[in-house]
Amino acid sequence: MCAAISVKEANELVLENSGDFGIEKLPLEQAAGRILAEDISAERHQPPFDRVMMDGIACRAGDEFPLKCLGRHQAGGKIPTLPEGNVCWEVMTGAALPHGADCVIPVEALVRKEVEISLKAGDGGARVAGRFIHPEGSDAKKGDLLLSSGITIDGPVMALLAANGYSEVRVYCRPKIALLATGDELVDVNAAVGEGQIRRSNDSMMRGVLAEGGFAPSYVAHIPDDFEALVSALQKVLKEVDVLILSGGVSMGAFDYVPSALQKVGAKKLIHRITQRPGAPMWFGIGPEGQRIFGLPGNPVSAMACGARYVLPLLKKAMHNRLANLPSEALLAETVQSMDKRTFFLPVRLEWKTGQAILIPHKVPTSGDFMHLGETAGIAEIPAGEGEVKAGSFVAFYPW
Ligand code: AMP
Ligand code: MG
């Protein structure tokens, strides 16, 4: 077992070794929620023509009223010309401005008598050249950089991709993830529970934590506390996945085979033990084919805290999301003692108070009690040995 390292060192090691999972090209309709892996530029000027912004008429600001209306020009239609003389075209929002026109007057300012259009009394000021015209190329010029790689494809990004003809788009691949729960005491959710047994909940918990970052496992299994069984499960699963998350069997117990089994299959240990509570025995390393491997302690609160503090940040970093791993801080609502030499991951509820996110420490009777964590949103990171962290201080927050 290597010496315990600090949370800061562990964080650096985990993030330095995030790697990535490659790039794939997806049809636009499958790209929402993914991370963009290419720069996006304007297909043509935007708007691509002088665009009418109001329903009304297109005319020349200098012409004398009444104007003769030449007809109706609808959005999407071929662009008409406005000949000389006191004439206009009736136009609709989104239409291209007729050639020769320099002014749009909204319908609210007009009176119409058959083909004769006059201004309403007092609306003479509506006749202003350029008003209600969205000029060609004023939003973007052809070839302008509109988006750079590394952002989440959300509503505005989808709109922009569609408007610029990106029927396919390059995105960062999500990893294939396996969850392996170790422990002889564990039974399935739907199994009868015998004496001394408990239901497996860490793999379900980890599904929930992964979902916070848009990830999902593709393989889940339960392995007994048996060295050979664990080694053969690891050999099998490591061929299939990019990321392996184990729970249990990572500490000092007689049946804690995870570190030795990982060594046996050729995984390189980078972390085993961190000066933190809960979750001190966490193991992290790299598999023979570069797989990222986490050995989380079996205690559900520990596994959850390590999931939020290390697993999710690694996955988000590997996705190249420029905004995902910005430090998130919030106001601590109550003073917390921090006499310990270990960093404390404190489960917290997240609430809004006068426009500010506040973290309310959630009292858990024992570190194994996850029955009362349902309302919590993640962990606040309380630095080691500061004496106390006062209510009103900003502390790092990691969601789960
Ligand atoms: P371990 O880290 O293997 O010593 O596990 C510590 C304790 O965590 C066990 O005794 C169980 O009570 C609990 N535990 C381990 N694995 C799980 C799991 N998959 N789901 C729920 N509880 C677990
Ligand atoms: Mg165990």
Side-chain angles (χ1 to χ4, degrees), residues 269-289:
K269 174 175 71 182
L270 295 175
I271 299 174
H272 192 191
R273 293 199 82 78
I274 307 170
T275 49
Q276 63 187 20
R277 72 185 162 107
M282 191 187 100
W283 193 102
F284 171 70
I286 303 294
E289 256 77 54

Side-chain angles (χ1 to χ4, degrees), residues 217-229:
S218 52
Y219 182 89
V220 178
H222 171 215
I223 316 294
D225 287 321
D226 176 276
F227 182 74
E228 297 304 332

Side-chain angles (χ1 to χ4, degrees), residues 22-28 30-32 34-40 147-153 157 161 166-174 319-320:
I23 288 173
E24 63 184 328
K25 205 172 208 181
L26 286 184
L28 178 60
Q30 289 172 26
R34 302 295 294 268
I35 309 297
L36 190 63
E38 62 180 314
D39 293 347
I40 300 299
L147 294 170
S148 31
S149 154
I151 58 165
T152 304
I153 302 181
V157 175
L161 291 168
Y166 284 82
S167 58
E168 290 188 316
V169 62
R170 287 156 68 81
V171 301
Y172 287 105
C173 295
R174 285 182 174 145
M319 299 311 295
H320 293 267

